[in-house]
Amino acid sequence: MKVVIVGTNHAGIAAANTLLDSGQDVEVVMIERNSNLSYLGCGTALWVGRQIDGYDGLFYTNKEDFEAKGAKIYIETEVKDIDFDAQSLVAETKDGEKIEESYDKLIIATGSQPIAPNLPGKDLEGIHFLKLFQEGQEVDKAFADENNQKVLIIGAGYIGVEIAEAAQRRGKDVTIFDAEATSLASYYDPEFAELMDENLREHGIDTHFGELAEEYLGEDGKVTGLKTNKGTYEADVIINCIGFRPYAVFGEGHLDRFGNGAYLVDRTFKTNDDNVYAIGDCATNYSNVTKEANYIALASNAVRSGVVAATNILGTELEGAGIQGSNGINIYDLKLVSTGFSLKACEKFGLDAKYVDYEDNQLPEFMPENDKVKLRIVYENGTNRILGAQIASTHDVSLLIHMFSLAIQEDITVDQLGLLDIFFLPHFNKPYNYITMAGLSADTSKD
Ligand SMILES: Cc1cc2nc3c(=O)[nH]c(=O)nc-3n(C[C@H](O)[C@H](O)[C@H](O)COP(=O)(O)OP(=O)(O)OC[C@H]3O[C@@H](n4cnc5c(N)ncnc54)[C@H](O)[C@@H]3O)c2cc1C
Ligand SMILES: NC(=O)c1ccc[n+]([C@@H]2O[C@H](COP(=O)([O-])OP(=O)(O)OC[C@H]3O[C@@H](n4cnc5c(N)ncnc54)[C@H](O)[C@@H]3O)[C@@H](O)[C@H]2O)c1
């Protein structure tokens, strides 16, 4: 069997490793248009902000690793056209050489691209995106120039707040904008997101929420400012981070699509073409909250989808477990983690939701060092099925969110948490801890 993988970043790599490590007789061809693979974008803000020494450790594999396992791998080679009836494709190397490959099974793992605000002045020098390693290098170079002092960031989602911290650590004057009323509005309810907003402001970052960019201003081809619906701001560097859209350009009219254009796949990541799988950021995933296809672009989802698709191609039937969109962020000392839906997301998706909040110290009060923890559990009115959880603290509470992720996956109800066997040790938690207390105090009557 011959499998061709188009796009070999996190999703494509996971699929290739699963195929190549299986011990089965599979011919694997990998085609990647970038000059590198496996770059962990999550590290960009860390090295640009000088919190880690450099970027070398952010690549976890390379072309040679796959050649050593027996794959044929083309780098700096872009797939241009796929003939789904003939089961073949055409690609082009950076030198313009045409390559043709046939396949028995095709895995499309072409990922996502940053959304570009379509504003006047968008081609000015000094306007950046942060997706590729190379784009991180460009931002790093821009920050190294002493003349570039004023950094404006459009979008206060995950990339936005991370690069805001990095720019501030590099001594820049940082202003961040978002169309929503808070930062991180796609992940957290205002009571949690506002903690991040305050955190940014305490570190000298100027926040402008509920404000929409209208025009990039410039002189001599270089950006000098930004005009919004509320004011005009000077800028030496502007970084756009208003989200990703799936990069799903093949099979128009042949492969089914989701509302945002992502390839619509089943729980094995197979498209409506039996010989074609789509994984990672270019495809949908099954949501355990809505019980239908949804789109959430995360490296963690990409890796799992690659494993599942490849396992099915190898002949073992395996459905993905579905996703909750579990995520986390750490800016300065503040840690926010969430899984499933916020109350706001439930409203948007028409889910009838209630919530319980509980705030407490992490440890018993007699312990010398302590941190506050704020927890919200969102659950369905009537069934009490857990739909989401959000946690904020300066304590590392990140592992806790995995339990809530499993709870959503397994349709656990909020009242089941109240009597859950949770251990107690003063070094770690309290006997009446915030999970127990939230579970016990949740109003489980139907409204
Ligand atoms: C700054 C930043 C920080 C992030 N932090 C996190 C984090 O902390 N946690 C997390 O879970 N996620 C994070 N993400 C998101 C994560 O990087 C993506 O979800 C992940 O990269 C998706 O992997 P993928 O392989 O599906 O797609 P991509 O990474 O987009 O890779 C797709 C690949 O396909 C190639 N390709 C596309 N078209 C073609 C073609 N026609 N021919 C050949 N090759 C092609 C591209 O060159 C690319 O290498 C972050 C992203 C960024 C940008
Ligand atoms: N820690 C992590 O897990 C992590 C870190 C970085 C990126 N990522 C993932 O990478 C992807 C891209 O990240 P991102 O930060 O670009 O997207 P995002 O979805 O996290 O945030 C985009 C932000 O831009 C805002 N926005 C949208 N249109 C706007 C407009 N016209 N003007 C002003 N603001 C606007 C949105 O309100 C939102 O807050 C996401 O899927 C994200 O989850 C994850």
Coordinates of all heavy atoms in Angstrom, one line a residue, residues 132-178:
L132 N 4.5 30.8 11.1 CA 5.7 30.0 10.7 C 6.9 30.4 11.5 O 7.0 31.5 12.1 CB 6.0 30.2 9.2 CG 4.9 29.9 8.2 CD1 5.4 30.3 6.8 CD2 4.5 28.5 8.3
F133 N 7.9 29.5 11.6 CA 9.1 29.8 12.2 C 9.7 31.0 11.6 O 10.2 31.9 12.4 CB 10.1 28.6 12.1 CG 11.5 28.9 12.4 CD1 11.8 29.3 13.7 CD2 12.5 28.7 11.5 CE1 13.2 29.5 14.0 CE2 13.8 29.0 11.8 CZ 14.1 29.4 13.1
Q134 N 9.7 31.1 10.3 CA 10.3 32.3 9.6 C 9.6 33.6 10.0 O 10.3 34.6 10.1 CB 10.2 32.1 8.1 CG 11.0 30.9 7.5 CD 10.2 29.6 7.5 OE1 9.3 29.4 8.3 NE2 10.7 28.7 6.6
E135 N 8.3 33.5 10.3 CA 7.6 34.8 10.7 C 8.1 35.2 12.1 O 8.2 36.3 12.4 CB 6.1 34.5 10.6 CG 5.6 34.4 9.2 CD 4.2 33.9 9.0 OE1 3.7 33.2 9.9 OE2 3.6 34.2 8.0
G136 N 8.3 34.2 13.0 CA 8.9 34.4 14.3 C 10.2 35.1 14.2 O 10.5 36.0 14.9
Q137 N 11.0 34.6 13.3 CA 12.4 35.2 13.1 C 12.2 36.7 12.6 O 13.0 37.5 13.1 CB 13.1 34.4 12.0 CG 13.7 33.1 12.5 CD 14.5 32.4 11.4 OE1 14.1 32.2 10.3 NE2 15.8 32.1 11.8
E138 N 11.2 37.0 11.8 CA 11.1 38.3 11.3 C 10.7 39.3 12.5 O 11.1 40.4 12.6 CB 10.0 38.4 10.2 CG 10.5 38.0 8.9 CD 9.4 37.8 7.8 OE1 8.4 38.5 7.9 OE2 9.6 37.0 6.9
V139 N 9.8 38.8 13.3 CA 9.4 39.6 14.5 C 10.5 39.8 15.4 O 10.8 40.9 15.9 CB 8.2 38.9 15.2 CG1 7.9 39.5 16.6 CG2 6.9 39.0 14.3
D140 N 11.3 38.7 15.6 CA 12.5 38.8 16.5 C 13.5 39.9 15.9 O 14.0 40.7 16.7 CB 13.2 37.5 16.5 CG 14.3 37.4 17.5 OD1 14.1 37.8 18.7 OD2 15.5 37.1 17.1
K141 N 13.6 39.9 14.6 CA 14.5 40.9 14.0 C 14.0 42.3 14.2 O 14.7 43.2 14.5 CB 14.6 40.5 12.5 CG 15.9 41.1 11.8 CD 16.0 40.4 10.5 CE 16.3 41.5 9.4 NZ 16.0 41.2 8.1
A142 N 12.7 42.4 14.0 CA 12.0 43.7 14.2 C 12.2 44.3 15.6 O 12.5 45.4 15.8 CB 10.6 43.7 13.8
F143 N 12.1 43.3 16.6 CA 12.3 43.8 18.0 C 13.7 44.1 18.3 O 14.0 44.9 19.2 CB 11.9 42.6 18.9 CG 10.4 42.4 19.0 CD1 9.5 43.2 18.3 CD2 9.9 41.4 19.9 CE1 8.1 43.0 18.4 CE2 8.5 41.2 20.0 CZ 7.6 42.0 19.3
A144 N 14.7 43.6 17.5 CA 16.1 43.8 17.8 C 16.5 45.2 17.3 O 17.5 45.8 17.8 CB 17.0 42.8 17.1
D145 N 15.7 45.8 16.5 CA 15.9 47.2 16.0 C 15.5 48.2 17.0 O 14.3 48.3 17.3 CB 15.2 47.4 14.6 CG 15.5 48.7 14.0 OD1 15.9 49.6 14.7 OD2 15.2 48.8 12.8
E146 N 16.4 49.0 17.5 CA 16.1 49.9 18.6 C 15.1 51.0 18.2 O 14.5 51.6 19.0 CB 17.4 50.6 19.0 CG 18.5 49.7 19.5 CD 18.4 49.5 21.0 OE1 18.5 50.4 21.8 OE2 18.2 48.3 21.4
N147 N 15.1 51.2 16.9 CA 14.1 52.2 16.4 C 12.7 51.8 16.5 O 11.8 52.6 16.4 CB 14.4 52.6 14.9 CG 15.8 53.2 14.8 OD1 16.1 54.1 15.6 ND2 16.6 52.8 13.8
N148 N 12.5 50.5 16.6 CA 11.2 49.9 16.7 C 10.7 49.8 18.1 O 11.1 48.8 18.8 CB 11.1 48.5 16.0 CG 11.2 48.6 14.5 OD1 10.9 49.7 13.9 ND2 11.7 47.5 13.9
Q149 N 10.1 50.8 18.6 CA 9.7 50.8 20.0 C 8.3 50.5 20.3 O 7.9 49.9 21.2 CB 10.1 52.2 20.6 CG 10.2 52.2 22.2 CD 11.0 51.1 22.8 OE1 12.1 50.7 22.2 NE2 10.6 50.6 23.9
K150 N 7.4 51.0 19.4 CA 6.0 50.9 19.6 C 5.4 49.7 18.9 O 5.4 49.6 17.6 CB 5.2 52.1 19.1 CG 5.6 53.4 19.9 CD 4.6 54.5 19.6 CE 4.8 55.7 20.5 NZ 6.1 56.2 20.7
V151 N 5.0 48.7 19.6 CA 4.5 47.5 19.1 C 3.0 47.4 19.3 O 2.5 47.5 20.4 CB 5.2 46.2 19.7 CG1 4.5 44.9 19.2 CG2 6.7 46.3 19.5
L152 N 2.2 47.3 18.2 CA 0.7 47.1 18.3 C 0.4 45.7 17.9 O 0.9 45.2 17.0 CB 0.0 48.1 17.4 CG 0.3 49.6 17.5 CD1 -0.8 50.3 16.7 CD2 0.3 50.1 18.9
I153 N -0.5 45.1 18.7 CA -0.9 43.7 18.5 C -2.4 43.7 18.2 O -3.2 44.2 19.1 CB -0.5 42.8 19.7 CG1 1.0 42.8 19.8 CG2 -1.1 41.4 19.5 CD1 1.5 42.3 21.1
I154 N -2.8 43.2 17.1 CA -4.3 43.1 16.8 C -4.7 41.7 17.0 O -4.3 40.7 16.4 CB -4.6 43.5 15.3 CG1 -3.9 44.9 15.0 CG2 -6.1 43.5 15.1 CD1 -4.2 45.3 13.6
G155 N -5.6 41.5 18.0 CA -6.1 40.2 18.4 C -5.5 39.8 19.8 O -4.3 39.6 19.9
A156 N -6.3 39.7 20.8 CA -5.8 39.3 22.1 C -6.3 37.9 22.4 O -6.8 37.6 23.5 CB -6.3 40.3 23.2
G157 N -6.1 37.0 21.5 CA -6.3 35.6 21.7 C -5.0 35.0 22.2 O -4.2 35.8 22.8
Y158 N -4.8 33.7 22.0 CA -3.6 33.1 22.6 C -2.3 33.7 22.0 O -1.3 34.0 22.8 CB -3.7 31.6 22.4 CG -4.4 31.0 23.6 CD1 -4.8 29.6 23.6 CD2 -4.6 31.7 24.8 CE1 -5.4 29.1 24.6 CE2 -5.2 31.1 25.9 CZ -5.6 29.8 25.8 OH -6.2 29.2 26.9
I159 N -2.2 33.8 20.7 CA -0.9 34.3 20.1 C -0.7 35.7 20.6 O 0.4 36.1 20.9 CB -0.9 34.1 18.6 CG1 -1.0 32.6 18.2 CG2 0.3 34.8 18.0 CD1 -1.0 32.4 16.7
G160 N -1.8 36.5 20.6 CA -1.7 37.9 20.9 C -1.2 38.2 22.3 O -0.2 39.0 22.5
V161 N -1.7 37.5 23.3 CA -1.3 37.8 24.7 C 0.2 37.2 24.9 O 1.0 37.8 25.6 CB -2.2 37.3 25.8 CG1 -3.6 38.0 25.7 CG2 -2.4 35.8 25.7
E162 N 0.5 36.1 24.2 CA 1.8 35.6 24.3 C 2.9 36.5 23.8 O 3.9 36.7 24.4 CB 1.9 34.2 23.7 CG 1.2 33.1 24.5 CD 1.3 31.7 23.8 OE1 1.6 31.6 22.6 OE2 0.9 30.7 24.5
I163 N 2.6 37.0 22.6 CA 3.6 37.9 21.9 C 3.6 39.3 22.6 O 4.6 40.0 22.6 CB 3.4 38.0 20.4 CG1 4.7 38.4 19.7 CG2 2.3 38.9 20.0 CD1 5.9 37.5 19.9
A164 N 2.5 39.7 23.2 CA 2.5 40.9 24.0 C 3.5 40.8 25.2 O 4.3 41.7 25.4 CB 1.1 41.2 24.5
E165 N 3.4 39.7 25.9 CA 4.3 39.5 27.0 C 5.8 39.5 26.5 O 6.7 40.2 27.0 CB 4.1 38.2 27.7 CG 5.1 37.9 28.8 CD 4.9 36.5 29.5 OE1 4.1 35.7 29.1 OE2 5.7 36.3 30.5
A166 N 6.0 38.8 25.3 CA 7.4 38.7 24.8 C 7.9 40.1 24.4 O 9.0 40.5 24.7 CB 7.4 37.8 23.6
A167 N 7.0 40.9 23.8 CA 7.4 42.3 23.4 C 7.7 43.1 24.6 O 8.7 43.9 24.6 CB 6.3 42.9 22.5
Q168 N 6.9 43.0 25.6 CA 7.1 43.8 26.8 C 8.5 43.4 27.5 O 9.2 44.2 27.9 CB 5.9 43.6 27.8 CG 6.0 44.5 29.0 CD 6.8 43.9 30.2 OE1 6.9 42.7 30.3 NE2 7.3 44.8 31.0
R169 N 8.7 42.1 27.5 CA 10.0 41.6 28.0 C 11.2 42.1 27.2 O 12.3 42.2 27.8 CB 10.0 40.1 28.1 CG 9.2 39.5 29.2 CD 9.2 37.9 29.1 NE 8.3 37.3 30.1 CZ 8.7 37.0 31.3 NH1 9.9 37.3 31.7 NH2 7.9 36.5 32.2
R170 N 11.0 42.4 26.0 CA 12.1 43.0 25.1 C 12.1 44.5 25.2 O 12.8 45.2 24.5 CB 11.9 42.6 23.7 CG 12.1 41.1 23.4 CD 13.5 40.7 23.4 NE 14.3 41.2 22.2 CZ 14.4 40.6 21.0 NH1 13.7 39.4 20.8 NH2 15.1 41.1 20.1
G171 N 11.4 45.1 26.2 CA 11.4 46.5 26.5 C 10.6 47.4 25.5 O 10.8 48.6 25.4
K172 N 9.6 46.8 24.8 CA 8.8 47.6 23.9 C 7.6 48.2 24.6 O 7.2 47.7 25.6 CB 8.3 46.7 22.7 CG 9.4 46.0 22.0 CD 10.4 46.9 21.3 CE 11.6 46.2 20.8 NZ 12.7 47.1 20.3
D173 N 7.1 49.3 24.0 CA 5.8 49.8 24.4 C 4.7 49.1 23.7 O 4.6 49.1 22.5 CB 5.7 51.3 24.0 CG 6.8 52.1 24.6 OD1 7.3 51.8 25.7 OD2 7.2 53.1 24.0
V174 N 3.9 48.3 24.5 CA 3.0 47.4 23.8 C 1.5 47.8 24.0 O 1.1 48.1 25.1 CB 3.2 46.0 24.4 CG1 2.4 44.9 23.6 CG2 4.7 45.6 24.4
T175 N 0.8 47.8 22.9 CA -0.6 48.0 22.9 C -1.3 46.8 22.3 O -0.9 46.4 21.2 CB -1.0 49.3 22.2 OG1 -0.2 50.4 22.7 CG2 -2.5 49.7 22.3
I176 N -2.3 46.3 22.9 CA -3.1 45.2 22.3 C -4.5 45.5 22.1 O -5.1 46.2 23.0 CB -2.8 43.9 23.2 CG1 -3.4 42.7 22.5 CG2 -3.4 44.0 24.6 CD1 -2.8 41.4 23.1
F177 N -5.1 45.1 21.0 CA -6.5 45.4 20.6 C -7.2 44.1 20.5 O -6.7 43.1 20.0 CB -6.5 46.1 19.3 CG -5.8 47.4 19.3 CD1 -4.5 47.5 19.0 CD2 -6.5 48.6 19.6 CE1 -3.8 48.7 19.0 CE2 -5.8 49.8 19.6 CZ -4.5 49.9 19.3
D178 N -8.5 44.1 20.8 CA -9.4 43.0 20.4 C -10.8 43.5 20.2 O -11.2 44.5 20.8 CB -9.4 41.9 21.5 CG -9.8 40.6 20.9 OD1 -11.0 40.4 20.6 OD2 -9.0 39.7 20.8

